[in-house]
Amino acid sequence: MKRILVAGIGNIFQGDDAFGCEVVRQLKPGAFDGAAVAVTDFGIRSYDLAYALTDGYDTVILVDAVGRGQPPGTLYLIEPCVEGLNEGAVDAHRMNPVAVIQMAHSLGGVKGKLYLVGCEPAVLERDNGEMGLSAEVGAAVPQAIAMIESLVKEAA
């Protein structure tokens, strides 16, 4: 049986940066009938994610806010190429997926297929301390879940 990791990334105190955390929170435990799927909210724990990436998963699906200049709530399916990434430092207090992938590569590498389900953010910081996703990004969560379920079905 193939092993699959769905990894939520983000900071719940940074508005739409919490996209990955919210997506994995809303994933239904029984959504992956018979598949060996680990669903984890890594938040900003970059070292934990780097080590998980080296744990021999056949497929890894990262879920994160990704700014690419499109309207807020736009979803992306990206297949990062590990070999083309420049070296960078991992910060224990922030989550930079590129730096985490680089660290995992230096620890032995990501063995399986790697995907990034990303969502264009609208708000990354709020002065009033309010937490939660913007309306546009919140509306994209069910679509992201459907995308992840489809990727898991194809990979299993």
Side-chain angles (χ1 to χ4, degrees), residues 37-110:
V37 181
V39 178
T40 304
D41 177 0
F42 284 93
I44 59 170
R45 297 183 341 257
S46 53
Y47 288 100
D48 291 342
L49 178 57
Y51 282 103
L53 292 177
T54 65
D55 200 21
Y57 287 98
D58 297 292
T59 302
V60 174
I61 304 168
L62 305 174
V63 188
D64 196 9
V66 177
R68 300 186 89 182
Q70 296 300 311
T74 300
L75 288 178
Y76 308 105
L77 178 58
I78 302 166
E79 295 184 47
C81 178
V82 176
E83 288 76 28
L85 300 176
N86 296 324
E87 292 298 320
V90 174
D91 182 346
H93 304 287
R94 298 183 54 89
M95 176 67 84
N96 176 337
V98 172
V100 170
I101 294 168
Q102 291 166 336
M103 181 180 179
H105 191 62
S106 71
L107 293 169
V110 180

Side-chain angles (χ1 to χ4, degrees), residues 91-154:
D91 182 346
H93 304 287
R94 298 183 54 89
M95 176 67 84
N96 176 337
V98 172
V100 170
I101 294 168
Q102 291 166 336
M103 181 180 179
H105 191 62
S106 71
L107 293 169
V110 180
K111 305 294 186 224
K113 191 81 171 157
L114 181 63
Y115 296 101
L116 171 60
V117 173
C119 183
E120 188 76 41
V123 178
L124 292 176
E125 292 186 30
R126 294 196 170 126
D127 294 332
N128 62 2
E130 182 182 331
M131 292 175 53
L133 301 178
S134 66
E136 301 92 339
V137 172
V141 170
Q143 297 167 16
I145 290 171
M147 186 182 291
I148 292 165
E149 290 172 346
S150 176
L151 287 170
V152 168
K153 190 175 185 178
E154 288 175 26

